[in-house]
Amino acid sequence: MFRPVMIGGAAVALVVAASFSPSAAADGAPPPDKVVIDVVSVNGSGCPAGTAAVAVAGDNTAFTVTYSDYLAQVGLGSRPTDFRKNCQLGLNIHVPQGYTYAIAKADYRGFAHLQRGATGLEKASYYFQGMSQTTSVTHRFTGPLSDNWRTTDVTAADALVYAPCGAQRILNVNTELRVAAGTSDPDTTNSFMAMDSTDGSVNTLYHFSWKECP
């Protein structure tokens, strides 16, 4: 069972077990002690204050992010700026001494209604404060489509970007949804993509790769 915690402008402390999944540690076993995550910032048109929530598993084995107002759209009923929505999370992840981590995998899901000729895009990037290395993955969708969607971002072992050992850096996770009318008629139709799902299941799930510092 998950415990939802609403996140707005204030920081929220989360306690998460180090072992997110049996395969989470690509280079070594996860640390034996629990990991504390502070949600220090939530910004973006896709996650206005009070519309995003962090849920911590009852056994502290995972954390997820869900959204209630993350929707990009074009056409009838939309505003000119609605074609793109984004959300940036700033996470301060406190790990036990002697360990560091990277984002190895992320699962996203939502619902899309795209008219014939319309297109959609889901993009996510991850980077540590003060570091130039950025991992970015883009997924594209083409109408006609009216169904739940799901994407998985997996970073190859040799491309993982780890937090610097012995330094506390904010992990920034930036997600984005875009919709383009394309050859569909925006005067008579509406196309949209949402970062949610019709059955209320988890929207995003983040997996860690751990390694010991020298």
Side-chain angles (χ1 to χ4, degrees):
M1 180 175 293
F2 289 89
R3 303 190 304 273
V5 181
M6 297 306 296
I7 49 180
V12 180
L14 309 175
V15 179
V16 185
S19 54
F20 281 74
S21 71
S23 60
D27 293 315
D33 298 326
K34 290 182 178 180
V35 175
V36 176
I37 301 178
D38 295 326
V39 182
V40 297
S41 64
V42 183
N43 298 295
S45 56
C47 51
T51 65
V54 171
V56 183
D59 58 0
N60 292 327
T61 59
F63 83 93
T64 64
V65 182
T66 58
Y67 307 93
S68 62
D69 193 26
Y70 200 159
L71 182 144
Q73 62 175 328
V74 294
L76 288 175
S78 67
R79 297 169 297 182
T81 57
D82 285 345
F83 78 97
R84 177 185 180 272
K85 293 297 177 72
N86 80 297
C87 183
Q88 179 162 303
L89 301 177
L91 306 177
N92 193 6
I93 301 178
H94 306 273
V95 302
Q97 186 174 3
Y99 287 86
T100 185
Y101 70 93
I103 297 292
K105 179 182 176 183
D107 301 310
Y108 298 91
R109 63 181 296 164
F111 187 84
H113 178 75
L114 300 175
Q115 301 290 339
R116 183 178 300 275
T119 59
L121 175 150
E122 179 267 321
K123 180 180 180 180
S125 59
Y126 319 90
Y127 62 95
F128 290 103
Q129 178 185 23
M131 298 178 64
S132 59
Q133 295 167 295
T134 299
T135 299
S136 179
V137 182
T138 299
H139 300 273
R140 302 180 187 277
F141 302 83
T142 302
L145 173 66
S146 187
D147 203 352
N148 289 319
W149 58 266
R150 179 180 296 179
T151 63
T152 298
D153 300 345
V154 179
T155 303
D158 59 354
L160 290 172
V161 179
Y162 285 88
C165 285
Q168 198 67 46
R169 299 287 180 88
I170 301 297
L171 172 66
N172 294 291
V173 180
N174 192 21
T175 56
E176 176 183 343
L177 293 177
R178 286 179 183 250
V179 177
T183 58
S184 67
D185 185 357
D187 293 327
T188 60
T189 64
N190 176 275
S191 293
F192 67 86
M193 281 192 68
M195 189 83 79
D196 63 13
S197 54
T198 55
D199 60 6
S201 297
V202 167
N203 300 141
T204 60
L205 175 64
Y206 295 96
H207 307 263
F208 286 78
S209 174
W210 296 96
K211 71 177 182 179
E212 294 188 44
C213 293

